Amino acid sequence: MATVIVSDGPPCLDGPDGAYRPGQPDRDGAAIASDSLKLATDLVKSGYCSALVTAPVSKANIAQIDPGFIGQTEFFADACGLDHHASVMMLAGPSLKTVPMTVHCAFADVPDLLTVELIVERCRIVARSLQVDFGIRDPHIAIAGLNPHAGEDGRMGSEEIEIIAPAIAQLRTEGVNASGPHPADTLFAPHKRGTYDVAIAMYHDQALVPLKALDFDEGVNVTLGLPIVRTSPDHGTAFDIAGKGIARPDAMIAAIRMAAEIAERRAAL
């Protein structure tokens, strides 16, 4: 069992772990990652640290030792005693901020997971977080449709009419500056991106494809709705280049800077 070493800086895990084989994930590495996540979360919750920046982990690998592990966003919701819907994954880069309504699920399941309540709840969290954590006084939230051309008035799906539009209407009655449903194929065009502060997508790739195309080396994953500050570089483990000395640090640097900025804004409240 690893012990905790405390010095003048952040505490570190110390003790037996395992053999290091770059690019070859195993149970020992998964155990270290899991223990590190738990320790770091406890340190931030206790107030010892002001923010948490996590490195990419292999969800499948950690799930081998912890079958309940879905992903880091869900892990932090559980650690903070929140429902999974109350923690929101936002991807933020210099060119774009975007939020997927549904995340780690099969595409075929997306329509059944979308509800008016889900969209309203998550957009409330997004609006509040943009105000508190990013200093945007009146954030404009642009909400994408699910179907091509935002459904074309029901000719290519009814989700826009039955779910997304009613959610937008409710958000507006609550004072949230929300618009849509917007066709996703034009929402991320250069002339559109300057008209909103965050784009709400209906599923994982609808949000992450444009973000990674525009800001792959500077994209940050921010978990909104938590009582703690948590960011991460918005890329995977890159096992294929591990140990080769060619990985870029840009996204990790961006995640550290963003975590510090958010923590400073919260401390000033």
Side-chain angles (χ1 to χ4, degrees), residues 195-251:
T195 65
Y196 55 81
D197 296 295
V198 64
I200 305 297
M202 293 299 112
Y203 55 92
H204 183 279
D205 285 10
Q206 193 183 53
L208 272 73
V209 166
L211 189 285
K212 291 189 175 183
L214 292 165
D215 297 321
F216 185 85
D217 290 316
E218 297 178 85
V220 178
N221 182 335
V222 192
T223 306
L224 309 181
L226 299 178
I228 63 174
V229 178
R230 181 263 170 167
T231 67
S232 174
D234 182 35
H235 58 62
T237 51
F239 289 133
D240 58 320
I241 61 172
K244 296 181 180 179
I246 60 175
R248 294 182 55 164
D250 308 57

Side-chain angles (χ1 to χ4, degrees), residues 28-182:
D28 288 339
I32 296 170
S34 179
D35 288 346
S36 298
L37 282 174
K38 293 171 183 176
L39 171 62
T41 303
D42 289 342
L43 292 170
V44 179
K45 287 174 63 180
S46 71
Y48 185 92
C49 298
S50 57
L52 172 59
V53 181
T54 66
V57 301
S58 168
K59 292 185 286 291
N61 220 35
I62 294 180
Q64 291 181 4
I65 62 171
D66 180 4
F69 187 85
I70 301 172
Q72 293 195 74
T73 301
E74 295 83 4
F75 169 85
F76 291 114
D78 290 337
C80 294
L82 300 174
D83 184 270
H84 288 180
H85 289 169
S87 64
V88 177
M89 182 174 78
M90 183 172 81
L91 301 316
S95 306
L96 178 68
K97 292 182 180 69
T98 184
V99 171
M101 281 292 101
T102 60
V103 187
H104 299 123
C105 64
F107 180 72
D109 296 335
V110 170
D112 290 336
L113 293 173
L114 292 175
T115 64
V116 173
E117 293 75 20
L118 175 70
I119 295 172
V120 169
E121 179 182 7
R122 293 201 159 186
C123 286
R124 286 173 184 153
I125 293 169
V126 171
R128 178 61 177 162
S129 295
L130 288 176
Q131 292 171 330
V132 173
D133 296 335
F134 292 87
I136 302 172
R137 181 173 297 180
D138 181 26
H140 176 195
I141 298 175
I143 301 179
L146 171 67
N147 299 292
H149 305 167
E152 284 195 357
D153 296 323
R155 287 189 289 273
M156 287 193 288
S158 60
E159 287 83 4
E160 286 77 12
I161 296 172
E162 297 175 357
I163 299 171
I164 302 174
I168 293 170
Q170 182 172 334
L171 287 165
R172 286 174 175 163
T173 65
E174 297 177 7
V176 177
N177 184 9
S179 65
H182 299 281

